[in-house]
Amino acid sequence: MQGQSLPLRVTTLLTGLLECLGFAGVLFGWASLVFVFKTEHYFEELCEPNARLMGNATGLDDCKAQDERFSLIFTLASFMNNFMTFPAGYIFDRFKTTVARLIAIFLYTSATLTIAFISADSAVLLFLAMPMLTVGGILFLITNLQLLYEQGISLRASFIFISVCSAWHVGRTFLLMPRGHIPYPLPPNYSYGLCSGDGPGEEEKKTVESPKLELSEELISPKKEIPRPGQQQEPRSFRSYAFSRRFAWHLVWLSVIQLWHYLFIGTLNSLLSNLASGDRVLVSTYTNAFAITQFFGVLCAPWNGLLMDRLKYKYQEEARKTGSSASAAALCSTVPSLVLTSLLCLGFALCASIPVLPLQYATFILQVINRSFLYGGNAAFLTLAFPSEHFGKLFGLVMALSAVVSLLQFPIFTLIKGPLQNDPFYVNVMLALVTLLTFVHPFLVYRECWQKESTPEVA
């Protein structure tokens, strides 16, 4: 039975990887989209006459009002991308896989069709389409959109093609995905897909088997430990963890680093235009370079996980020999990842703050590596630092709260374009100093690990 289901599972895995590669993370292709939107004269009516004349001379409009409009759209889209993680998690938990996927398909297909058929006169619809697109997801085709546009493929043709791809998602939803949740650990003879009979009866059967699964989870989880003599059981309520110092500093760590990324991506087109003195060819070259590095970010994702896995195995082996806490050992494995992510962010921030155009190649590389470490490290830390029964809620909460912080990118952009007269130096220095706060989080985690390890675990 397992042999018969192996090809199905391999197909599901490969198509899932292709789906994530091709249709997730639209925000990281925003710089390419803005380049095309400006070429299509979106929001050009906001530009003053002298700015239009300058644009005709250089090939790009140096238009404050136009840039602010694009920045506002990106701010709204990036906010929805994170904030909707919480309700999306609820929808997935409540209505399960098929319904959640159909909603996502509807959102992104509606958004791509909207973008395909709007023009410069109806560009205001981007305020509706972009948030829907970020919630539904797309990446690969968006990051290559400018490359396609410069080869003569129109914006409308690109987004109509993306809309037609919804048939792929619908087919995969019904043929290669379970109707409900995938149980863990996987029970014997588990099947899914069109001909599996994965309906209410199967769900009821899984519910009956759940005590066995819960028992096996208790055996394999390093976080469920026997309390030491004289030590009370740690509070298990969601509220106690949500208001803990550990969670608060993790929120600061995630929010500050993520703000840097969103601010950089949202203002990249304006930054490159200024550094290239409005040279359209140079801006196009650097925008394409940024798009390509975003695609290769998939190669950076496993590094952080590999680092944490090796350290977790090493520390837990040492914990077994010394009799120290297994949960403390697992938590300790996150410290190098947290520190390295903060260091990468600091390096990326410093490179982005130096107004030298060739240096931005290094900025692009550091940004994509840091982004991979950030989001993978965020999920891994929540998994190891908090009970598994609260993971979904805590993950949704930290993403929603960090989304609120990301709204600061628009007033920061307005400050740069207005009072600072397009000079981001002082803002970059201030944000670089704020980035130093992210090192407090791994320091506190390390101190907590050291305190736990100093007390031997009693089995």
Side-chain angles (χ1 to χ4, degrees), residues 2 32 109 190 210 251 255-256 271 315 339 344 351 427 431 437:
Q2 289 182 347
S32 298
T109 305
Y190 175 76
S210 62
L251 174 62
S255 300
V256 171
L271 172 67
Y315 292 156
V339 173
L344 286 168
C351 289
V427 169
L431 289 176
L437 282 176

Side-chain angles (χ1 to χ4, degrees), residues 48-63 277-278:
E48 298 177 1
N50 60 342
R52 294 186 182 183
L53 292 175
M54 188 180 301
N56 291 332
T58 63
L60 285 172
D61 290 342
D62 181 17
C63 178
S277 301

